[in-house]
Amino acid sequence: QRWTVMLNEFSPEELSRYSRHMNLAEVGPEGQKKLKKAKVLIVGAGGLGSPIALYLAAAGVGTLGIVDFDIVDESNLQRQVLYSVDQVGRSKAESAKERLLQLNPHIDVFIYKEALSSKNAHIIKDYDLVLDGTDNFPTRYLVNDACFLFGKPNVYGSIFRFDGQVSVFNYQDGPCYRCLYPSPPPEGLIPNCAEGGVLGVLPGIIGTIQVNEAIKIILGKGKPLKGRFLLFDALGMTFDEMKAKRDPECALCGDNPTIKELNDVKHVCGTLKYDEISVWELKDHSDFVLVDVRETYEREIVKLEGALHIPLKDFNERMSELDPEKEIIVHCKSGQRSGKACEQLIENNFKKVKNLKGGICAWVENIDQGLTNY
Ligand code: ZN
């Protein structure tokens, strides 16, 4: 009788889709209903976020949120299996939503095309748990702190070269990330994936383990990785496990906490010396100087209104034309050359410097399709 009532909550298509879950005693209609009701936030739709989003959607997790301000780059396709060639240059969050709804139209997907910051981290409150797919330390600490302050479990994963880590933080009185690593490493000490490289399949392995833990938490079954820190070595093909205890001295979750509110993420990428801004943020931004460091022939193809033109090759001698007190946003075609210009500005004591992520191509692709792309 109870099962019939349960089953009525699913459409015939859903019953067929989830039949392999329904047949499992540990899931069954009750568990599938829990999955359908669950709201999961995925922070970062990159290497880890790709398998995380795909498997959560396929499993029938009813509400997914995706936070990612990035755009799909060709170099992402080696591991970010959520995306395809025709999505290069487009918003990751939008592309992800499109793909996930193709995979499972019975779920809702909400997207946030912005970097997670202390200002928007409150979106975590709307979800039951968070899966951390970030690739940098400032955001990882922000996710950890926000999850603790808002009382949400944090399914953590990270990857580097051939090594991966997984754990479940802030769950049933277990430890948080700061209990193990009290504060972020000094900036620039640890390279990110772009600099250090990563084996393409590694985020697939680590991300699917995160999903496994998330599903167990939602179902209330099995033994989640709470208080346990899993270490995976892809070359040696070994899984090791460290005990992770809540630290009474922890500045966040300890007995006398000193961290009582969220601190801003200073840099979107832990190793960058300058900040980045997305084309969506730029659209609503005001009071800044826009600098175009491309060559003259590129500006004849397409240019942004009001941008000051200083080609990268002349940048060192001409940066004195810029006011160090003003916010300076630099762009080029795709964000590489403007990144170099940003570094030069920072070295010369310019304080408010931002690189336009994805360059003018991202602008044309996502904001003003009327312009020419090249
Ligand atoms: Zn802690």
Side-chain angles (χ1 to χ4, degrees):
Q1 183 67 33
R2 206 157 133 249
W3 272 51
T4 322
V5 174
M6 282 285 186
L7 291 170
N8 282 342
E9 294 182 32
F10 294 101
S11 66
E13 292 80 21
E14 286 174 291
L15 288 177
S16 157
R17 169 180 288 266
Y18 303 130
S19 60
R20 301 302 187 279
H21 268 168
M22 301 285 190
N23 290 340
L24 290 171
E26 291 79 359
V27 186
E30 284 192 53
Q32 195 62 48
K33 193 181 152 195
K34 285 181 183 169
L35 292 171
K36 188 174 178 168
K37 280 193 156 180
K39 296 177 177 178
V40 176
L41 185 69
I42 304 164
V43 183
L48 291 170
S50 286
I52 287 173
L54 286 167
Y55 274 101
L56 287 175
V61 171
T63 304
L64 293 178
I66 296 175
V67 186
D68 202 306
F69 79 108
D70 212 350
I71 50 179
V72 181
D73 185 84
E74 202 151 42
S75 69
N76 298 152
L77 302 179
Q78 166 252 21
R79 63 198 175 286
Q80 301 184 17
V81 294
L82 196 48
Y83 309 112
S84 51
V85 173
D86 60 340
Q87 290 170 325
V88 168
R90 290 188 46 207
S91 150
K92 280 191 181 177
E94 274 176 21
S95 306
K97 180 175 177 176
E98 202 174 276
R99 171 79 181 95
L100 295 174
L101 292 178
Q102 282 168 358
L103 174 61
N104 190 347
H106 305 286
I107 62 168
D108 290 318
V109 180
F110 297 96
I111 58 174
Y112 309 89
K113 290 189 284 186
E114 50 205 318
L116 195 75
S117 73
S118 65
K119 287 176 198 72
N120 63 10
H122 57 83
I123 56 176
I124 287 176
K125 286 188 198 168
D126 296 335
Y127 293 85
D128 304 318
L129 79 158
V130 177
L131 272 74
D132 178 4
T134 56
D135 62 354
N136 64 83
F137 284 98
T139 318
R140 186 167 299 151
Y141 278 83
L142 181 71
V143 169
N144 178 68
D145 296 358
C147 282
F148 176 75
L149 294 172
F150 301 138
K152 308 291 179 181
N154 169 17
V155 184
Y156 155 87
S158 82
I159 47 169
F160 182 64
R161 292 172 55 83
F162 297 94
D163 297 320
Q165 306 175 338
V166 194
S167 192
V168 173
F169 294 122
N170 194 42
Y171 181 58
Q172 294 177 343
D173 300 320
C176 81
Y177 186 69
R178 284 188 190 270
C179 292
L180 279 75
Y181 302 102
S183 53
E187 241 173 89
L189 189 72
I190 295 179
N192 64 7
C193 279
E195 291 160 356
V198 65
L199 186 70
V201 69
L202 181 65
I205 297 168
I206 298 300
T208 46
I209 294 176
Q210 285 177 272
V211 174
N212 186 57
E213 295 312 294
I215 287 178
K216 278 155 56 188
I217 291 171
I218 295 166
L219 295 176
K221 299 285 180 191
K223 190 180 161 208
L225 272 171
K226 180 195 87 173
R228 301 152 65 198
F229 198 78
L230 188 71
L231 299 156
F232 173 66
D233 169 5
L235 284 179
M237 191 42 71
T238 56
F239 285 91
D240 286 309
E241 199 179 299
M242 290 190 323
K243 282 234 180 312
K245 272 194 184 155
R246 193 181 77 92
D247 179 2
E249 307 278 297
C250 176
L252 179 70
C253 75
D255 298 336
N256 299 298
T258 53
I259 300 168
K260 290 171 182 168
E261 56 183 31
L262 294 174
N263 288 308
D264 241 320
V265 183
K266 249 179 97 187
H267 300 283
V268 169
C269 178
T271 54
L272 289 182
K273 295 185 188 77
Y274 48 84
D275 287 324
E276 294 181 302
I277 184 167
S278 72
V279 290
W280 300 280
E281 288 168 308
L282 181 66
K283 188 163 70 84
D284 302 319
H285 208 66
S286 55
D287 206 19
F288 61 91
V289 178
L290 184 64
V291 182
D292 181 355
V293 296
R294 296 176 305 152
E295 299 297 318
T296 306
Y297 78 90
E298 295 176 274
R299 285 176 58 78
E300 282 163 11
I301 302 167
V302 60
K303 62 185 173 192
L304 296 177
E305 281 306 314
L308 192 67
H309 182 215
I310 308 180
L312 185 63
K313 60 178 182 326
D314 304 333
F315 205 76
N316 234 338
E317 48 190 89
R318 284 187 56 195
M319 75 171 85
S320 56
E321 294 171 25
L322 299 168
D323 181 352
E325 298 304 312
K326 288 230 169 94
E327 180 178 50
I328 296 164
I329 297 175
V330 192
H331 90 81
C332 63
K333 183 184 179 188
S334 67
Q336 299 285 327
R337 282 172 286 172
S338 50
K340 291 201 172 76
C342 286
E343 282 177 9
Q344 291 183 26
L345 287 169
I346 295 285
E347 280 162 20
N348 286 277
N349 296 318
F350 283 79
K351 295 281 184 282
K352 288 178 279 183
V353 178
K354 286 192 172 116
N355 186 19
L356 181 64
K357 186 109 184 167
I360 197 168
C361 286
W363 180 269
V364 177
E365 187 80 38
N366 297 286
I367 306 293
D368 190 352
Q369 281 96 354
L371 297 174
T372 312
N373 216 340
Y374 71 110

